[in-house]
Amino acid sequence: MSTKHEQIIQHIIALPVGNKISVRQIAKDLHVSDGTAYRAIKEAENQGLVSTIERVGTIRIERKNKENFDQLTFAEVVNIIDGQVLGGRDGLYKTLSKFVIGAMQLDAMMRYTQADSLLIVGNRIKAHEQALHEGAAVLITGGFDTEDYIKKLADEKELPIISTSYDTFTVAAMINRAIYDQLIKKEIVFVGDISTPFERAYYLTTNDRIEQWYQLNEKSSHTRFPVLDDKLRVVGMVSSKDIVGKTKEHRIDRVMSKKPQVVQEKTSLASVGHMMVWEGIELVPVVDQSHQLKGVVSRQDVLKAMQQIQRQPQVGETIDDIVSSNLIANEEDELSFTTKIIPQMTNQLGTLSNGVFTSLIAEACSRMLLKVKKADISIENITVYFSKPVQIESDLTIKPKIIDVGRLYAKIDVEVYNLDQMVGKGLIMAQLINR
């Protein structure tokens, strides 16, 4: 039986795209409290099912697939640019394919303006009208209004006409930034992206006996399985060490380990990888908020995904991507690395920022361990310090050296040089994730 929270989410998913949603209406329709309805609507917003706009309300929007993260709904645009919706509210759920800056003659502007696009333009009434006839929405910059007949036309065509106090350049930059941020998010891998779904997962129930464990072991070659109660909630885990010396007639709930480690679909790959290494776990159940089983993720799934990520080109560049692309193995000594300090790596004073310095040291250690031990690392502790400020355009050499290494841990000392002068040091404690 699903919880009230899940029932509300399912109800919202079933609503047609573009439908208005209110706390009071949800509470009334599903016989829940206003607080429960509000929390579920906020969760739906986090999942990309709805968008809340000031002076308009909350509307159902299309949830993005990972492939089309480079597109925004008009509702999202309104929120990004602090806009005011003048007309065409019923089209806010629609997605824009591109935006056009209207800084040209009207006929030239219309050659670029097409259906599903967004025309960003100032106080040009004729351009507003023409764009709507072409099937495009309109964003009016500079805080201007438009004529009533334009608003009526927008309502008829269900194409939003939005006003913002920002200028055209700022608006274009804000929309670009939002798309760029989404592209970076797209690259982040979550447990839900790599887990084996419930339908294909192997599990036992509290009523099963050890005999069933042997059957699943033979079928799947796994040695660790989640144990579910009659509501499909994860209540334990059973592994080969739990059944040693027990007869096949023993009930599973008598031998299982209670309160097992679990993850949710939105847990990051890095987090679950860290947990598996730290706890020495081969397989973790994936659960929802009610603790019901949604799937399982294995250590093999995590390692495979980590290796794929390292081979993928990044679409949106984070600081770590910039650091990685600028770090080059030294020709004379393959276990040391060189990099040039570019503007994105500096702070407001024009010197290398602490955060980038830390990233450079971490990346150098990661690459060195991959060469020496054929292992990835999960950093437990990192200590860094500057002895001299590093100027923009400086050429740095980073020299990591293993102080101590075992089967699971490594301690690495790092020295950073600018020409022949040491400018900083680092000490890293890391777990090894063997490939």
Side-chain angles (χ1 to χ4, degrees), residues 121-139:
V121 69
N123 188 23
R124 298 174 67 180
I125 303 296
K126 205 68 189 163
H128 304 167
E129 184 179 358
Q130 284 283 89
L132 290 170
H133 281 302
E134 294 291 337
V138 179
L139 175 52

Side-chain angles (χ1 to χ4, degrees), residues 105-172:
Q105 293 296 324
L106 187 61
D107 57 342
M109 201 189 302
M110 288 308 129
R111 281 202 297 273
Y112 294 99
T113 307
Q114 60 194 52
D116 300 324
S117 59
L118 174 69
L119 177 65
I120 301 173
V121 69
N123 188 23
R124 298 174 67 180
I125 303 296
K126 205 68 189 163
H128 304 167
E129 184 179 358
Q130 284 283 89
L132 290 170
H133 281 302
E134 294 291 337
V138 179
L139 175 52
I140 306 168
T141 58
F144 291 107
D145 201 345
T146 191
E147 299 290 342
D148 286 343
Y149 78 91
I150 301 282
K151 296 174 188 175
K152 191 176 176 187
L153 181 63
D155 288 339
E156 286 169 10
K157 292 190 171 286
E158 294 187 359
L159 289 167
I161 188 156
I162 307 156
S163 175
T164 178
S165 56
Y166 294 112
D167 61 81
T168 303
F169 174 80
T170 305
V171 161

